[in-house]
Amino acid sequence: MKIEFPKAYEPKNSENKWYGIWQDNNIYHADETSEKEPYSVLMPPPNVTGILHFGHVLNITLQDIYCRRKRMQNYEVCWFPGYDHAGIATHAKVEAQLKEENLTRYDLGREKFLDRVWDWKEKYGGIIMKQLRWLGVSCDWDRTLFTMDDSASNAVLEVFVRLFDDGLIYRGKRIINWSPVGQTALSNEEVEFREVKEQFHTMRYYFEDSDEYIQIGTVRTETIFGDVAVAVNPKDEKRMHLIGKTVIVPLVGRKVPIIGDEHADPEFGSGFVKITPAHDPNDFLVGKRHDLEMLNTINPDGTMNELTGDYAGMDRFAARKAILKKLNELDLIEKSEDYAHNVGFSQRGGEPIEPYLSDQWFVKMKPLAEEALKVVQDGDVKFHPAHWTKTYEHWMNNIQDWCISRQLWWGQRIPVYYTEDGKQTAAITEAEARTKLNVGSDVPLRQDEDVLDTWFSSWLWPLTTMHWMAEGKNETSPDLEKFLSTDLLVTGPDIIFFWVARMIMATKRFKDVVPFKDVYFTSTIRDGSGKKLSKSLGNSPDPLNIIEKYGTDAIRFTIIYLSPLGQDVRMDVDVDDQDIPSMELGRNFANKVWNSGRFLLMKRDDAENDDPENNISVRDLKDADLTFADRWIISRFNSTVKNIDKALDNYKVNDYSKIIYDFIRRDFCNWYVEIVKVQFADSDDVSYKKALMAHVIGIYDEILMLLHPIMPFISEEIWHLLDDNRTEADSISLANMPEYDEKLVSEETESKFAYVQSLVEEIRKLRSSMKIQPQQKVPLQISAKTVEMDEFLNSQLSIIKSLAKCSTLDIGLNLEKPDNSMVSVIRETSIYLLLEGTIDKDKERERMNKEIQRLERNIFGCEKKLSNEKFVSNAPEKVLTNERVKLASMKESLIKVQENLAELG
């Protein structure tokens, strides 16, 4: 039966059709009872408020490549999807809605506010989970987890209680990142640093009853009301004699001691540093070391408090200006200078964060970090690229306690209960708390108002996705037994501490296994000028629009092709059109794959048309039938399988994309398919033609399997078109991945064929240098150096003649150079292009002389430009590099044209 193979590939039609079929047939659902070897991957949970961006595209494509490949290698693959409740971000979304109604969360109260959040989540939340389907993800959607699901929350509360009971969770005062807009603590991950240009003010701190003073600099004059000491480095020989003296804080009038502490840098500023423990993390540590008073002078909303006198109630930045003005009036400012430094901003509120001394809940991290460090050092968890191990080790060896409380209502509420007389305990329920506190139902209990940091649910992701403590008491589950430890985590290096390290800690603590064996750290995606893709910069087009234009497979392929392990991704972005022209690479490749499949089926139909009664059955090509080219493609295919396996096993996914691209585009399409055309045309044997096309399509079928992990839609579409016996219940996803067969690899065959390729390519270059039209056939002679090479080349004569577009081709041993011919030599083989009747020699001489003059003019101009010191000193390095490359290329072209002119005579 003849299969209708459309002329052009329509990505949208294929993607919509096949993703629906895959889901309807549930082919990506994992069976935890299977006896197959397991392979599992945890999808990093995107925020419930999130929208698809190119970081997701890269991350998800990498995971999908491994899941699809392992599934085709007969593993029981489970890819666990889910999404994160994003405490602060979701809170902000709903509070913005309330603001439009002239309401606040306090007007609604906690319970009604949470009802609104759940309503918002059902209506708008999880949009990104729908968008991920556009990328063709082969995850098990039936296992989707939301971090606020009851099963996840049960585990979160259980972990809090256990750590509390073990003395690893405590409440204490620490400097935390504070959001005055959200009025909550922030994790470091929720703070982004930007360079800010401000003024650095050097103030005068006078000694008591003296006209002498020391100079101390600060940007934040509003914090002087919290000054409790001045520090000097105890090794600072110029200033150490002042330790123990007293100075007066300007404007405030407070007497404070000069103390010795290594926090003071003798080389920075005056060598003195004011110590404000409640408003600076380093000062806080100094305060702890010297048992200093900690004066908090700023309110939670960012206004100054009662300790600041006349400035109380004033916004912190307005107070900064007013205090500076007063200090100048009192002649207490030595100097003010421009100063650029990094300032932390809240990702959600957008305001500068406040380092803030606050009562918060913390997890003691050092006891948890020891095991988590050891498993990485021992190789139980491997990082790719490996250099991130050093970063991890440094952080783990210098780990600080983790602030886990947030002053929000959306999230798992901290399960700590208090009596009126100050007793407290952690418990899953109030009834359990009463038992632990040994109090009856008549004693009032109050639960802590704060919620847990979203990361406190995320660090349990390897456990909660597999239903650990889902019912509050189950230590294991079928999924845990089958799929933990997982095999691969793909994530960004920016959350190596916030998430990766903590997951290792939690999983080791509660299950005594590692959560994953390999961690692949993705690259940062940048535009052509090196700027990180960002919607705020306007250089990050909507991926869905790009998918609409180029197709999912093209996007997936291109982003992997451009992403070497451990290096940033560079993509050209057309900001005006919000387009990414780089995606043409993937689209063109998809079209190449499609067109080759269409051509092969057409040739199969031609062979069948030569046997209208279908009297000749399709047979396998026997060894005797296999041509040199047939043996070459079989060898190259198996070498490619080996190289792909090596690349993917070593997480060099970029190499995989290049290997499959080069094999399909160059070896298969540009060479083998062209040779098949010759073999097909040269034969009158219908039986051979049928066998040949069955053989070629069989190889092509396996090529699609190699391609499927990175380009799932087009490979599925063509795979079905190749065989009308395949139904929608069948899928290439479930086919067996080709395996490397060493017996079918011949280095000698590949080397000899590479020689034929070089020969044909050299002939094409020779034709091009003479401006001979691609379709014009030319007479040619080839002189072989040895008898063996002469015999081999003659065995390939019809192929060389066809591919090199020869009208006649003579191959002989040590032939003399014919008169009136152009010559080129490659690997001791001479190629003679006969000019008689091929070109008009006079016109060609005229063209060459004009070309020589043009090149000489351009070379002179380029050399003059590069010898201009002003141009060289002012031009960007990229421009200079382009000019130098252009100059070298023009010089090379000039030599070639001059040689051709000399040959022409």
Side-chain angles (χ1 to χ4, degrees):
M1 172 181 155
K2 186 175 179 180
I3 297 173
E4 185 62 38
F5 203 115
K7 185 174 182 180
Y9 176 56
E10 298 291 343
K12 191 171 182 180
N13 295 341
S14 176
E15 290 157 14
N16 290 340
K17 175 178 73 176
W18 286 114
Y19 203 79
I21 291 171
W22 293 336
Q23 295 306 301
D24 290 344
N25 291 323
N26 214 21
I27 64 172
Y28 302 132
H29 178 70
D31 180 2
E32 69 278 9
T33 67
S34 165
E35 293 185 3
K36 292 180 183 178
E37 187 175 345
Y39 184 86
S40 53
V41 174
L42 298 167
M43 180 187 290
N47 287 350
V48 67
T49 59
I51 300 295
L52 191 72
H53 56 67
F54 277 98
H56 293 126
V57 175
L58 175 59
N59 186 294
I60 289 295
T61 301
L62 286 164
Q63 294 173 71
D64 199 38
I65 286 170
Y66 279 92
C67 287
R68 289 181 180 276
R69 175 176 180 249
K70 289 296 182 179
R71 195 177 287 112
M72 295 174 74
Q73 291 176 330
N74 206 33
Y75 285 77
E76 190 61 43
V77 174
C78 190
W79 184 6
F80 292 89
Y83 53 120
D84 180 309
H85 64 273
I88 292 174
T90 309
H91 225 269
K93 293 279 187 186
V94 178
E95 287 193 293
Q97 279 188 344
L98 293 176
K99 190 174 181 180
E100 292 176 2
E101 302 169 30
N102 293 317
L103 293 171
T104 69
R105 58 170 157 149
Y106 302 103
D107 294 324
L108 268 65
R110 187 171 197 135
E111 189 173 335
K112 288 185 178 178
F113 175 78
L114 289 176
D115 287 342
R116 285 288 293 264
V117 178
W118 280 107
D119 289 344
W120 182 92
K121 183 260 177 185
E122 292 305 317
K123 189 172 183 180
Y124 302 106
I127 288 174
I128 191 169
M129 303 306 284
K130 299 181 180 70
Q131 293 175 329
L132 290 178
R133 288 165 165 80
W134 283 78
L135 295 175
V137 296
S138 63
C139 60
D140 186 349
W141 290 114
D142 293 341
R143 283 180 161 88
T144 302
L145 181 75
F146 179 50
T147 53
M148 281 290 285
D149 285 346
D150 287 345
S151 64
S153 294
N154 288 339
V156 168
L157 299 180
E158 178 68 25
V159 164
F160 184 99
V161 172
R162 289 190 190 186
L163 294 178
F164 180 94
D165 290 345
D166 291 343
L168 293 176
I169 284 183
Y170 66 94
R171 188 169 177 81
K173 283 188 180 293
R174 291 286 188 280
I175 290 282
I176 47 91
N177 302 312
W178 183 260
S179 165
V181 170
Q183 294 200 34
T184 182
L186 301 176
S187 69
N188 290 341
E189 197 269 339
E190 292 157 334
V191 176
E192 58 184 38
F193 285 87
R194 306 174 201 158
E195 185 175 271
V196 175
K197 293 179 180 178
E198 299 187 277
Q199 288 234 304
F200 190 77
H201 309 288
T202 301
M203 301 177 291
R204 297 170 177 169
Y205 282 61
Y206 281 88
F207 290 100
E208 189 176 5
D209 300 323
S210 172
D211 291 335
E212 295 185 358
Y213 59 85
I214 58 173
Q215 300 177 20
I216 298 178
T218 186
V219 169
R220 306 185 66 206
T221 53
E222 74 277 12
T223 63
I224 60 174
F225 289 94
D227 288 3
V228 294
V230 169
V232 64
N233 195 299
K235 296 177 183 176
D236 184 350
E237 293 181 0
K238 292 181 182 178
R239 305 172 183 90
M240 60 188 292
H241 67 283
L242 295 174
I243 295 172
K245 302 283 187 183
T246 300
V247 291
I248 299 170
V249 180
L251 186 61
V252 180
R254 182 183 304 125
K255 299 174 185 177
V256 298
I258 297 178
I259 61 174
D261 194 280
E262 291 188 353
H263 169 55
D265 181 357
E267 303 302 319
F268 182 76
S270 66
F272 296 99
V273 61
K274 71 190 199 71
I275 303 302
T276 317
H279 296 289
D280 182 278
N282 293 314
D283 291 3
F284 173 78
L285 297 175
V286 175
K288 293 285 284 184
R289 286 195 288 270
H290 296 270
D291 196 25
L292 299 174
E293 187 178 7
M294 304 207 179
L295 300 176
N296 195 335
T297 61
I298 298 178
N299 292 316
D301 64 355
T303 59
M304 308 305 289
N305 71 14
E306 70 281 357
L307 294 180
T308 62
D310 293 343
Y311 306 97
M314 191 179 291
D315 176 78
R316 55 189 168 143
F317 295 110
R320 179 181 298 182
K321 293 178 181 178
I323 291 167
L324 177 63
K325 182 180 178 183
K326 191 66 175 178
L327 288 168
N328 273 308
E329 289 174 0
L330 297 173
D331 197 25
L332 292 171
I333 295 291
E334 183 78 15
K335 58 183 176 179
S336 294
E337 304 167 286
D338 291 338
Y339 181 61
H341 65 136
N342 286 330
V343 174
F345 287 78
S346 166
Q347 281 188 342
R348 301 301 169 187
E351 84 282 17
I353 60 104
E354 184 66 37
Y356 197 68
L357 183 65
S358 175
D359 281 313
Q360 301 287 341
W361 287 98
F362 294 87
V363 177
K364 292 180 182 177
M365 299 300 278
K366 283 191 184 301
L368 299 173
E370 291 170 3
E371 272 294 309
L373 176 58
K374 185 176 185 298
V375 295
V376 172
Q377 291 175 329
D378 290 349
D380 297 332
V381 177
K382 294 183 177 69
F383 290 166
H384 308 274
H387 67 74
W388 286 110
T389 303
K390 291 296 180 187
T391 307
Y392 179 86
E393 288 174 349
H394 176 76
W395 188 77
M396 296 295 272
N397 284 321
N398 297 277
I399 198 165
Q400 301 296 313
D401 288 352
W402 172 19
C403 175
I404 57 170
S405 46
R406 297 291 179 268
Q407 289 63 56
L408 305 171
W409 289 348
W410 173 242
Q412 284 96 2
R413 191 170 175 180
I414 290 177
V416 172
Y417 294 84
Y418 305 88
T419 62
E420 290 180 342
D421 60 1
K423 293 178 183 177
Q424 65 180 39
T425 192
I428 303 296
T429 64
E430 182 178 324
E432 183 185 327
R434 291 185 181 280
T435 301
K436 291 175 79 170
L437 290 167
N438 195 25
V439 297
S441 58
D442 58 324
V443 176
L445 289 185
R446 175 180 63 85
Q447 186 177 354
D448 200 290
E449 292 291 324
D450 290 351
V451 299
L452 287 161
D453 178 12
T454 304
W455 292 106
F456 198 85
S457 55
S458 298
W459 80 321
L460 301 179
W461 195 240
L463 303 176
T464 52
T465 49
M466 301 187 200
H467 307 291
W468 179 77
M469 287 292 158
E471 305 300 326
K473 54 183 179 291
N474 57 302
E475 287 285 351
T476 189
S477 71
D479 278 358
L480 283 164
E481 294 292 330
K482 181 73 175 177
F483 297 115
L484 192 70
S485 302
T486 65
D487 293 272
L488 175 64
L489 177 74
V490 180
T491 189
D494 53 326
I495 55 174
I496 186 173
F497 314 127
F498 306 115
W499 194 44
V500 177
R502 289 172 183 166
M503 282 193 288
I504 297 173
M505 293 179 198
T507 312
K508 277 296 291 179
R509 175 91 183 172
F510 299 109
K511 291 301 292 180
D512 196 28
V513 295
V514 295
F516 26 72
K517 299 162 192 168
D518 289 285
V519 182
Y520 183 110
F521 291 111
T522 56
S523 310
T524 300
I525 303 178
R526 302 183 183 278
D527 64 17
S529 63
K531 294 177 183 174
K532 185 176 179 180
L533 288 200
S534 165
K535 287 185 180 177
S536 61
L537 293 176
N539 67 346
S540 182
D542 184 343
L544 295 181
N545 292 338
I546 304 299
I547 287 172
E548 182 78 18
K549 179 172 182 178
Y550 295 96
T552 295
D553 285 343
I555 307 305
R556 287 171 58 118
F557 182 84
T558 305
I559 204 164
I560 296 297
Y561 192 90
L562 298 176
S563 305
L565 178 63
Q567 298 179 36
D568 287 350
V569 183
R570 290 290 185 99
M571 296 195 303
D572 292 326
V573 176
D574 185 331
V575 176
D576 293 333
D577 292 338
Q578 285 294 285
D579 189 15
I580 302 182
S582 313
M583 295 302 166
E584 289 285 357
L585 171 76
R587 181 164 66 182
N588 291 342
F589 183 49
N591 289 337
K592 187 83 169 178
V593 172
W594 181 266
N595 290 337
S596 62
R598 185 169 183 271
F599 169 78
L600 294 178
L601 257 65
M602 286 171 58
K603 283 298 174 189
R604 185 174 72 182
D605 290 345
D606 288 347
E608 290 176 355
N609 290 339
D610 289 343
D611 178 28
E613 301 299 324
N614 199 26
N615 294 322
I616 304 171
S617 60
V618 178
R619 60 179 175 83
D620 292 333
L621 279 184
K622 294 182 172 61
D623 281 351
D625 296 322
L626 292 174
T627 65
F628 179 74
D630 296 331
R631 296 180 193 279
W632 167 75
I633 198 65
I634 291 170
S635 180
R636 282 294 305 129
F637 175 79
N638 278 277
S639 295
T640 299
V641 171
K642 179 183 179 181
N643 293 336
I644 285 174
D645 286 345
K646 182 181 177 182
L648 290 176
D649 288 346
N650 289 283
Y651 295 98
K652 295 184 176 179
V653 191
N654 170 254
D655 287 359
Y656 155 60
S657 69
K658 287 179 163 57
I659 291 165
I660 193 70
Y661 179 83
D662 290 344
F663 174 72
I664 292 176
R665 192 172 182 277
R666 185 173 189 269
D667 293 343
F668 188 76
C669 294
N670 291 353
W671 287 98
Y672 185 60
V673 170
E674 292 303 311
I675 290 169
V676 166
K677 291 178 185 178
V678 178
Q679 294 178 180
F680 192 91
D682 286 352
S683 177
D684 294 324
D685 183 347
V686 176
S687 173
Y688 169 74
K689 287 184 175 182
K690 282 189 169 185
L692 174 64
M693 294 320 301
H695 168 73
V696 179
I697 289 171
I699 293 172
Y700 183 67
D701 193 85
E702 291 197 300
I703 288 172
L704 293 174
M705 295 176 195
L706 296 179
L707 182 66
H708 179 71
I710 195 169
M711 301 182 85
F713 290 112
I714 192 170
S715 55
E716 184 79 89
E717 183 77 25
I718 299 174
W719 190 76
H720 277 81
L721 288 169
L722 295 182
D723 187 345
D724 59 353
N725 291 317
R726 291 167 179 162
T727 68
E728 289 185 351
D730 300 311
S731 173
I732 193 173
S733 294
L734 305 178
N736 291 325
M737 182 65 75
E739 294 181 0
Y740 168 62
D741 188 340
E742 185 179 9
K743 298 190 296 296
L744 296 177
V745 173
S746 168
E747 290 184 9
E748 182 185 4
T749 299
E750 291 192 33
S751 176
K752 280 188 172 182
F753 195 87
Y755 173 62
V756 173
Q757 289 175 306
S758 300
L759 206 60
V760 171
E761 286 168 348
E762 189 63 26
I763 295 168
R764 288 170 176 170
K765 285 181 189 175
L766 196 57
R767 292 170 56 102
S768 176
S769 69
M770 303 300 294
K771 301 298 179 185
I772 296 171
Q773 293 300 311
Q775 296 308 312
Q776 181 182 345
K777 293 189 175 182
V778 296
L780 209 73
Q781 290 183 9
I782 295 176
S783 175
K785 187 80 171 175
T786 66
V787 173
E788 180 187 12
M789 193 53 66
D790 178 36
E791 291 175 351
F792 170 68
L793 291 177
N794 269 291
S795 72
Q796 305 304 309
L797 189 146
S798 65
I799 289 172
I800 297 170
K801 183 179 179 182
S802 175
L803 298 182
K805 296 288 193 299
C806 302
S807 56
T808 60
L809 174 60
D810 295 319
I811 299 174
L813 184 63
N814 295 321
L815 299 178
E816 291 290 328
K817 178 183 180 296
D819 294 335
N820 199 16
S821 66
M822 297 292 291
V823 65
S824 185
V825 179
I826 182 166
R827 288 167 63 175
E828 299 186 305
T829 301
S830 298
I831 302 166
Y832 305 126
L833 174 60
L834 308 183
L835 299 178
E836 195 66 45
T838 301
I839 61 172
D840 183 322
K841 292 179 71 174
D842 291 335
K843 284 186 177 179
E844 186 60 20
R845 282 194 198 94
E846 183 182 353
R847 185 193 69 78
M848 286 184 179
N849 280 314
K850 285 182 179 178
E851 179 64 7
I852 288 169
Q853 291 170 12
R854 185 188 72 82
L855 287 167
E856 287 175 338
R857 280 196 308 272
N858 291 345
I859 289 169
F860 176 78
C862 195
E863 286 179 333
K864 186 176 180 181
K865 188 185 291 185
L866 288 171
S867 65
N868 184 324
E869 290 184 12
K870 187 175 181 182
F871 171 76
V872 172
S873 60
N874 292 326
E877 188 57 38
K878 186 176 180 181
V879 171
L880 291 174
T881 301
N882 288 340
E883 287 294 321
R884 290 175 184 131
V885 169
K886 185 168 71 175
L887 177 61
S889 176
M890 288 191 296
K891 285 183 173 180
E892 187 178 336
S893 296
L894 178 61
I895 292 170
K896 194 71 177 174
V897 176
Q898 287 170 335
E899 288 175 348
N900 287 342
L901 182 60
E903 286 285 347
L904 196 59

